Amino acid sequence: MRFHKLAALVVLGASTAWILTGEFSSVGSAQSENQPPVSAPEGAPVSDQRVVRTVGVVTPPRRDHARAIRISGTTEANRRSALAARTAGIVAELPVRQGSSVSAGDIVMRLDSEDKRSAVEMATAVLAQRQAELNAAERLATTGNVARLQLDGARAALATAQAQLDSANAELERYVLRAPFDGLVDRVSVEEGSAIAQSAQVAIVLDLDPILAVGQVNERDLESLRIGEASEIRLVNGAVAQGTLRYVSRDASPQTRTYGIEVSVPNPDRSFPAGMTTEITLRSDPVDAVFLPRSVVTLSGAGDLGIRIVGPDNKVGFVPIDLIDDTPTGLVLGGVPKDARIIVAGQDLVAEGDTVNPVEADAATVRRLIGEATGTTN
């Protein structure tokens, strides 16, 4: 018992002496001699320090790019003529068949016209007689043996005979149906020997060279189109051909508020038929653009779509997207400042105003961007 009292008195004395030295107040705040103090910007508390992140950047290639305007349409013949009989009669001659090629002026059908041929022959004979009478009257007039009035009568008779011959020939021509232009006979509706009425349809002739691709563009794209610009068509069977925009309507459809267009495509072998569904690709006016993968697109603090860039002071900025085109290989963007360093890796880990450590993106990324811009692959 005495020992315990003695031990307690020793501990109490030691504690009192330690407190009196003043070392108690420095516990938990002393710095280790081997650990340097944390530095902070002048005037800024340590709690405001941020980690400086490393991001991958690239300065993408630039080139003029014409935005693709893709619309659905159909092919049509350059010209289409439904030939009809100009008079009633019996089909005496039908030299064409479905699928036949014809040139302008070729006979498509001839009706029986024996009486009309006779009328032409008679008018021709009368004309020859009147011409001989006039020649005789002119010889007599030079010797003064015929009156002036008789000479004028002979000339009038000749003119009348000529008019009758012209009329007979015109009537005979009504029995002949000719091709109005070079083309293809697509359909024949009569048979040789059959009787047809006036205005009855005989055949349909198509001019398929060039073939036309027709469609409708919306109001927004109308002012981007220029007559004569190169275009492309892709038929539903996979065939692809190059053409030229030849017509843009300036009168909108009341129902759809769209404008009709025509693309002319060479078709010398008539391999492209009329009436086939096709995709028409038009091109807008070229603009300065950059080519970037879709992965670079991100959201700003306000929720807008765009890309993040690094300024000369290594601070992060944001550029809203001006989407010019969406190609199979990536996005085509306009409005990006020249020489801008675009963040292609780590853009979602930083915010506008952050200071970053930018490093050039790997060579594979740069090659891919150049390939997308030039249309080549490496």
Side-chain angles (χ1 to χ4, degrees), residues 79 102-106 179-184 205-209 270:
R79 289 178 289 182
V102 293
S103 299
D106 285 353
F181 46 75
D182 296 353
L184 181 74
V205 178
L206 302 177
D207 176 11
L208 296 176
D209 185 25
R270 301 189 179 101

Side-chain angles (χ1 to χ4, degrees), residues 41-359:
E42 184 177 355
V46 175
S47 59
D48 285 350
Q49 295 184 47
R50 293 186 178 180
V51 177
V52 176
R53 295 188 181 276
T54 298
V55 295
V57 299
V58 66
T59 302
R62 311 176 74 96
R63 74 168 188 179
D64 289 342
H65 179 79
R67 178 170 61 90
I69 302 171
R70 295 179 176 86
I71 61 175
S72 294
T74 57
T75 57
E76 288 186 1
N78 182 41
R79 289 178 289 182
R80 181 183 187 276
S81 179
L83 304 184
R86 293 186 289 174
T87 187
I90 304 297
V91 179
E93 185 180 347
L94 193 66
V96 300
R97 294 290 181 267
Q98 291 182 166
S100 300
S101 295
V102 293
S103 299
D106 285 353
I107 295 176
V108 175
M109 180 195 70
R110 187 193 301 274
L111 296 178
D112 182 25
S113 56
E114 288 299 327
D115 57 334
K116 303 302 177 183
R117 293 177 186 274
S118 299
V120 170
E121 292 173 359
M122 183 180 295
T124 302
V126 171
L127 178 65
Q129 181 180 350
R130 299 293 181 263
Q131 183 66 60
E133 292 174 353
L134 176 61
N135 293 341
E138 288 178 341
R139 287 195 298 271
L140 292 173
T142 58
T143 60
N145 294 323
V146 67
R148 177 79 180 185
L149 184 60
Q150 290 178 330
L151 180 61
D152 291 342
R155 288 172 177 167
L158 177 63
T160 300
Q162 181 64 58
Q164 289 173 344
L165 177 59
D166 292 343
S167 178
N169 280 324
E171 185 64 22
L172 178 62
E173 189 64 23
R174 288 170 58 83
Y175 285 73
V176 179
L177 195 60
R178 300 181 184 275
F181 46 75
D182 296 353
L184 181 74
V185 178
D186 186 63
R187 192 175 307 158
V188 178
S189 307
V190 298
E191 294 291 342
E192 190 171 337
S194 61
I196 62 173
Q198 183 177 357
S199 301
Q201 181 173 297
V202 175
I204 293 178
V205 178
L206 302 177
D207 176 11
L208 296 176
D209 185 25
I211 193 76
L212 302 182
V214 300
Q216 302 284 325
V217 297
N218 59 41
E219 299 169 304
R220 182 189 56 171
D221 293 328
L222 182 65
E223 294 305 319
S224 300
L225 304 180
R226 297 290 180 270
I227 300 297
E229 288 291 335
S231 308
E232 180 183 273
I233 69 167
R234 181 182 298 273
L235 301 183
V236 70
N237 62 6
V240 178
Q242 305 300 317
T244 303
L245 180 64
R246 81 170 194 180
Y247 172 73
V248 179
S249 174
R250 304 313 264 181
D251 185 21
S253 167
Q255 290 77 27
T256 61
R257 307 304 305 166
T258 55
Y259 295 82
I261 61 97
E262 291 182 359
V263 173
S264 175
V265 179
N267 189 29
D269 57 358
R270 301 189 179 101
S271 58
F272 299 138
M276 182 171 284
T277 301
T278 181
E279 181 187 69
I280 305 171
T281 301
L282 308 171
R283 293 289 175 179
S284 65
D285 293 334
V287 296
D288 180 54
V290 297
F291 292 71
L292 292 169
R294 294 178 180 83
S295 59
V296 305
V297 176
T298 186
L299 292 173
S300 69
D304 298 323
L305 281 175
I307 57 175
R308 289 196 170 96
I309 64 174
V310 177
D313 55 358
N314 288 347
K315 289 188 178 296
V316 177
F318 183 83
V319 176
I321 284 179
D322 181 9
L323 181 60
I324 296 173
D325 203 359
D326 186 357
T327 70
T329 56
L331 300 178
V332 185
L333 306 178
V336 179
K338 291 186 177 180
D339 302 324
R341 294 183 295 172
I342 298 173
I343 303 177
V344 296
Q347 65 270 24
D348 292 323
L349 303 177
V350 295
E352 294 88 301
D354 287 355
T355 299
V356 294
N357 176 33
V359 296

